[in-house]
Amino acid sequence: MKKLPIGIQDFEKLRTGGFMYIDKTEKIFDLVDGAGYYFLSRPRRFGKSLLVSTLKEIFSGKRELFDDLWIEDKIEWKKFPVLHFSFTEIDYKKLGLEKAIEENLFYHASLFEITLEAKTITTQLQELVRKLHKKFNERVVILIDEYDKPIIDFLGKDEIHIAEENRDIMKNFYSPIKSLDPHLRFFFLTGVSRFSKVSIFSDLNNLNDISLEHYASDLLGYTEKEILHYFSDYITLIAKNKNISEKELTDEMREWYNGYNFRGIHKVYNPFSVLSFFKSQEFNNYWFKTGTPTFLIKLLAENEYYDIEEIETSLNALEKFEITNLNPVTILFQTGYFTIKDHLMADIYLLGYPNREVQNSMNQLLLAEYAKKETTETTSLLYQIKKSFDKNQLDKVFVYINALFADIPYQIFEDKKESYYHSIVHLIFSLLGYYTQSEVSTSEGRIDAVVETEKYIYILEFKVDNTAQNAIKQIKEKNYSEKYKSEKENGKTIYIIGVACNEKTIKEYLVEQI
């Protein structure tokens, strides 16, 4: 079996080191076959840097790296001067963005033995491109990776002014690109976010955003067909080790890591999560652990976003990322926590979590933010709640739920008591497991939570500043237990539980077996 390229973003290193490469060069050919100015946004750890590195080697004329790949005999292999800027490698936090870009421009100039005399990053870029064209008598290729990192790294409230300053610096940096058209063979820009063209790219009106174009929908990420073709040996090995069929394994992989849709025919898998799974042979939340912006979790909590499994929005809203007016839904989509689930009408789309990995991880972080605790503590309490339900130890269930409420400041409850209870209750019961459901719909209304274990079904209704008796009364009047009658006939015991909450604690609860 070929080695798994986890974390490898350099195409030459991948190809010469005996690592697996999922051949995307047929798709890449559609880009490089003609001249163009392209922008592609994708979530982090989705293969953007490897794509940029692949483009670099194609335009550097290194045909030997493409032996046995689709593109090998499809293009005329020529060497162009390539400027490859990666903002993950530029020390803008220490030097400041403008100085860091200047140092990088001088570094690239030194690689080609060119001396720069211009004094600003705008004129330095112009000078470098023109001198490269003149020196090599070939037009220049510009590749820019993670262009937005100097902005999104500073989106927290205390640093938003730095994000705005960096946005303006970058606007100046990109401003001469259009005027350099006679000197450019190809321009390609990647990032996570899609800031409006007005804010950064107002002078680059010929930039072609392919982020949601059909032909680019599986340019990054792995399709199901690619998973089955390239990783067949790993699938066979892991299925054998887990003592399950290959179909059972791939079905579970699909639930955990598939689901990303960028307006294409095929959904794609998160490549980092897939590679990590094949290495460890265990289902886990790999992509989420590599870094989720704190500002996003706080923004969602401040706007009381917790029940966000599905949201309807327009395509236009998904494409607008404004520093001074952060839209939680736009950020969720552009950063990969949401994906397109369905096309409803015209430019209206249904968004939701792509898979179990993202949904579970987001709920864990949101619960920790709402409960004002570390995720390790909330995860431990959730485990105790689940274990208590399994053993029908309801007194312990509510002791642990109260522990989740313990560190929340009283002021929060005074300002938005009912919605805050509702947030935490929803997140608790969403995280408890596969057979736990929050806000289940029935013909008579919505149940706050239903927990199904091997032996028991618990139907719960929570009331704030009210009584447990009234909660029980609502369950009965709305006949919430009707849809679970067949489970009772199958031998499960059904309990209805009314819960009364007051002053950030569970005041009382009543339990009845039906």
Side-chain angles (χ1 to χ4, degrees):
M1 294 189 294
K2 281 198 170 184
K3 293 183 288 185
L4 298 168
I6 300 175
I8 295 181
Q9 301 173 344
D10 184 281
F11 183 77
E12 182 174 17
K13 179 180 179 181
L14 184 148
R15 293 291 285 169
T16 58
F19 292 93
M20 184 184 297
Y21 175 67
I22 284 68
D23 190 356
K24 297 284 188 178
T25 59
E26 184 173 0
K27 290 281 185 181
I28 294 173
F29 173 81
D30 293 336
L31 298 177
V32 303
D33 189 42
Y37 294 72
Y38 297 104
F39 170 65
L40 177 69
S41 94
R42 285 293 182 267
R44 59 187 170 78
R45 309 306 292 267
F46 230 82
K48 298 186 297 296
S49 297
L50 179 60
L51 172 61
V52 171
S53 178
T54 306
L55 289 166
K56 177 186 176 183
E57 303 305 346
I58 289 173
F59 285 113
S60 297
K62 295 184 180 179
R63 178 172 179 166
E64 69 277 6
L65 296 178
F66 295 85
D67 286 346
D68 301 322
L69 298 183
W70 187 93
I71 204 171
E72 180 188 7
D73 58 356
K74 304 298 190 304
I75 62 172
E76 179 186 358
W77 289 90
K78 291 177 62 176
K79 185 176 182 179
F80 296 89
V82 178
L83 296 175
H84 177 198
F85 300 98
S86 174
F87 280 92
T88 60
E89 300 172 1
I90 294 177
D91 194 7
Y92 52 84
K93 289 188 176 180
K94 180 180 179 181
L95 300 174
L97 181 58
E98 191 160 11
K99 181 64 176 177
I101 291 175
E102 182 179 64
E103 285 198 358
N104 208 251
L105 285 167
F106 275 88
Y107 166 74
H108 278 86
S110 68
L111 294 178
F112 296 102
E113 299 181 340
I114 287 175
T115 301
L116 296 180
E117 298 174 355
K119 302 301 181 182
T120 69
I121 57 174
T122 302
T123 53
Q124 287 161 358
L125 178 61
Q126 289 175 314
E127 182 184 3
L128 178 57
V129 170
R130 287 169 178 156
K131 285 184 174 180
L132 283 171
H133 189 187
K134 183 177 181 179
K135 179 173 184 175
F136 295 100
N137 198 30
E138 293 287 354
R139 288 186 295 166
V140 179
V141 172
I142 297 181
L143 307 173
I144 300 176
D145 190 22
E146 304 289 5
Y147 87 97
D148 53 345
K149 200 168 190 306
I151 298 176
I152 61 177
D153 277 357
F154 299 102
L155 287 182
K157 284 184 177 179
D158 296 336
E159 299 178 313
I160 196 72
H161 65 285
I162 302 176
E164 293 180 282
E165 291 170 5
N166 287 350
R167 175 198 59 195
D168 295 339
I169 291 169
M170 294 180 74
K171 183 177 180 179
N172 290 334
F173 178 59
Y174 296 123
S175 62
I177 296 295
K178 185 178 180 180
S179 66
L180 291 171
D181 185 68
H183 306 282
L184 295 179
R185 164 66 178 84
F186 188 81
F187 179 87
F188 192 80
L189 184 83
T190 77
V192 170
S193 53
R194 300 159 70 197
F195 290 97
S196 68
K197 288 185 179 181
V198 174
S199 64
I200 295 180
F201 305 116
S202 58
D203 298 315
L204 193 56
N205 55 15
N206 57 341
L207 185 64
N208 183 13
D209 184 353
I210 62 172
S211 303
L212 293 177
E213 295 293 337
H214 293 292
Y215 70 86
S217 62
D218 55 354
L219 179 59
L220 297 179
Y222 301 153
T223 65
E224 180 110 350
K225 183 178 179 181
E226 289 168 338
I227 292 279
L228 297 176
H229 174 72
Y230 288 97
F231 298 98
S232 57
D233 290 342
Y234 283 95
I235 290 170
T236 300
L237 173 66
I238 297 173
K240 182 179 179 181
N241 290 345
K242 289 184 173 294
N243 197 28
I244 59 176
S245 70
E246 292 183 17
K247 183 181 183 306
E248 288 174 313
L249 181 69
T250 54
D251 284 349
E252 192 161 3
M253 283 183 60
R254 190 180 306 113
E255 184 178 329
W256 270 88
Y257 306 122
N258 196 13
Y260 292 91
N261 188 328
F262 303 102
R263 289 181 74 207
I265 298 172
H266 304 291
K267 295 177 181 178
V268 292
Y269 286 75
N270 182 312
F272 179 78
S273 298
V274 166
L275 294 173
S276 300
F277 166 72
F278 282 131
K279 180 180 180 181
S280 71
Q281 302 189 23
E282 295 295 337
F283 290 102
N284 210 331
N285 301 329
Y286 299 106
W287 176 74
F288 221 93
K289 290 179 179 178
T290 61
T292 296
T294 303
F295 86 88
L296 174 58
I297 302 301
K298 291 188 179 298
L299 182 66
L300 292 172
E302 287 170 4
N303 288 273
E304 297 184 30
Y305 279 80
Y306 58 90
D307 184 7
I308 52 175
E309 292 183 21
E310 291 186 339
I311 290 178
E312 297 175 7
T313 191
S314 69
L315 188 63
N316 184 50
L318 298 180
E319 297 174 342
K320 290 185 176 180
F321 195 133
E322 301 290 351
I323 294 175
T324 55
N325 185 24
L326 296 175
N327 183 328
V329 176
T330 304
I331 298 173
L332 283 166
F333 176 72
Q334 292 190 13
T335 51
Y337 302 101
F338 263 17
T339 193
I340 294 173
K341 306 293 283 188
D342 196 10
H343 183 196
L344 301 177
M345 59 176 286
D347 74 333
I348 304 299
Y349 287 82
L350 181 68
L351 306 183
Y353 291 118
N355 50 48
R356 187 196 295 187
E357 175 186 35
V358 176
Q359 181 172 1
N360 285 358
S361 300
M362 178 60 82
N363 284 343
Q364 285 177 18
L365 288 177
L366 281 173
L367 178 60
E369 176 63 27
Y370 275 107
K372 308 302 178 186
K373 295 180 182 290
E374 295 295 324
T375 53
T376 51
E377 189 176 357
T378 56
T379 300
S380 175
L381 288 168
L382 283 170
Y383 172 72
Q384 296 298 335
I385 292 170
K386 187 177 188 305
K387 189 168 66 172
S388 300
F389 271 123
D390 288 339
K391 296 180 178 180
N392 197 27
Q393 297 174 335
L394 297 179
D395 55 336
K396 290 187 177 181
V397 166
F398 294 108
V399 167
Y400 294 127
I401 290 178
N402 273 334
L404 281 169
F405 285 117
D407 292 337
I408 303 170
Y410 279 98
Q411 181 62 36
I412 292 178
F413 280 102
E414 290 174 5
D415 293 343
K416 43 188 177 181
K417 183 180 296 183
E418 185 145 8
S419 62
Y420 216 85
Y421 270 116
H422 201 259
S423 304
I424 295 180
V425 167
H426 174 85
L427 291 166
I428 290 171
F429 287 96
S430 294
L431 282 165
L432 278 178
Y434 186 72
Y435 293 105
T436 304
Q437 304 167 68
S438 176
E439 292 198 317
V440 182
S441 294
T442 73
S443 60
E444 298 292 335
R446 292 168 71 87
I447 313 170
D448 277 349
V450 175
V451 179
E452 295 188 46
T453 70
E454 186 178 347
K455 298 179 180 179
Y456 310 104
I457 294 177
Y458 303 95
I459 299 171
L460 299 98
E461 183 69 26
F462 288 78
K463 292 291 184 184
V464 178
D465 288 338
N466 208 317
T467 65
Q469 187 62 51
N470 282 340
I472 287 281
K473 182 180 178 182
Q474 179 173 323
I475 295 174
K476 291 178 178 179
E477 288 179 348
K478 298 289 187 179
N479 203 20
Y480 288 159
S481 62
E482 178 65 25
K483 69 181 294 183
Y484 300 98
K485 185 178 290 185
S486 61
E487 295 295 335
K488 184 176 181 180
E489 294 170 356
N490 291 333
K492 285 194 175 183
T493 303
I494 300 178
Y495 294 97
I496 60 174
I497 306 173
V499 186
C501 309
N502 187 26
E503 294 182 357
K504 78 168 195 172
T505 188
I506 291 173
K507 181 177 63 175
E508 62 174 354
Y509 66 91
L510 294 175
V511 182
E512 293 185 16
Q513 180 178 337
I514 61 171

